[in-house]
């Protein structure tokens, strides 16, 4: 029987060739370039940007995504393939992230529950503050995705 699997979240940044060419051109020496590019595993070879991988050097094209794996390895993914396989995790307020964490860690009266029960606990049973409950009620789909898939915390303004 064939089983179905889901990809796990990864970190990725879209490659902007003009930006990286400017960084390369403005670097005063190879060491300065390496410090800036090493974070993404990027190298510049014969006029092209590449990412050295276990399978060999792979050219990075403008608009490709540079993915970072769980072991810190990098690899390029073509934009069309990336968009078919990955969706950005929902961005939620810090207070909602704290609520999810508290419920999942058993720090509330709610134990061993689903996302729906956590939402109901916040809205109907005063397990969350008014701000949290209001956000959860207005963003039910985002809350469910955050509960199941993970999330990013909203940046402070």
């Amino acid at each position: 029987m064939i089983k179905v699997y889901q990809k796990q979240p990864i970190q990725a940044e879209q490659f902007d060739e003009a930006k990286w060419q400017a960084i390369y051109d403005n670097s005063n020496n190879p060491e300065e370039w390496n410090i800036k590019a090493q974070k993404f595993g990027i190298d510049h070879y014969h006029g092209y940007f590449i990412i050295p991988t276990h399978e060999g050097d792979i050219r990075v094209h403008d608009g490709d995504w540079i993915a970072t794996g769980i072991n810190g390895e990098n690899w390029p993914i073509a934009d069309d393939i990336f968009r078919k396989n990955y969706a950005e995790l929902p961005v939620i307020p810090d207070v909602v992230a704290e609520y999810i964490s508290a419920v999942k860690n058993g720090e509330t009266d709610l134990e061993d529950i689903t996302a729906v029960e956590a939402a109901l606990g916040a809205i109907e049973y005063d397990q969350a503050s008014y701000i949290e409950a209001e956000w959860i009620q207005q963003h039910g789909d985002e809350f469910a995705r955050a509960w199941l898939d993970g999330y990013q915390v909203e940046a402070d303004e």
Side-chain angles (χ1 to χ4, degrees):
M1 178 174 158
I2 295 177
K3 297 181 180 180
V4 178
Y5 294 88
Q6 176 176 311
K7 289 189 176 187
Q8 296 299 313
I10 60 167
Q11 292 182 348
E13 181 170 320
Q14 195 163 28
F15 182 71
D16 180 341
E17 190 166 4
K19 175 185 127 183
W20 280 100
Q21 187 64 53
I23 291 171
Y24 182 79
D25 292 342
N26 294 327
S27 295
N28 296 321
N29 58 58
E31 289 174 15
E32 183 181 345
W33 160 252
N34 285 335
I35 290 169
K36 293 175 182 174
Q38 188 174 29
K39 178 172 135 181
F40 296 100
I42 298 172
D43 203 351
H44 195 265
Y45 185 72
H46 292 290
Y48 298 107
F49 291 99
I50 61 167
I51 294 181
T53 71
H54 295 297
E55 291 81 28
D57 294 345
I58 301 176
R59 183 171 174 200
V60 185
H61 300 274
D62 191 41
D64 285 354
W65 291 82
I66 300 174
T68 302
I70 58 173
N71 296 320
E73 72 279 16
N74 297 102
W75 68 95
I77 303 172
D79 183 54
D80 61 330
I81 302 298
F82 183 86
R83 293 184 187 281
K84 289 176 186 174
N85 287 287
Y86 296 98
E88 186 175 0
L89 291 177
V91 178
I92 65 174
D94 186 49
V95 293
V96 176
E98 289 173 10
Y99 175 71
I100 290 173
S101 178
V103 173
K104 286 188 169 189
N105 292 326
E107 299 167 11
T108 67
D109 294 339
L110 305 171
E111 295 180 21
D112 298 324
I113 63 171
T114 66
V116 172
E117 293 165 329
L120 275 174
I123 297 164
E124 299 292 326
Y125 303 112
D126 297 328
Q127 292 294 313
S129 73
Y130 174 78
I131 295 169
E132 296 161 353
E134 182 81 10
W135 190 92
I136 292 167
Q137 193 165 17
Q138 292 176 3
H139 303 89
D141 288 348
E142 289 174 61
F143 179 77
R145 280 202 57 230
W147 179 275
L148 295 170
D149 299 335
Y151 53 83
Q152 303 174 79
V153 177
E154 206 170 65
D156 292 333
E157 293 179 15

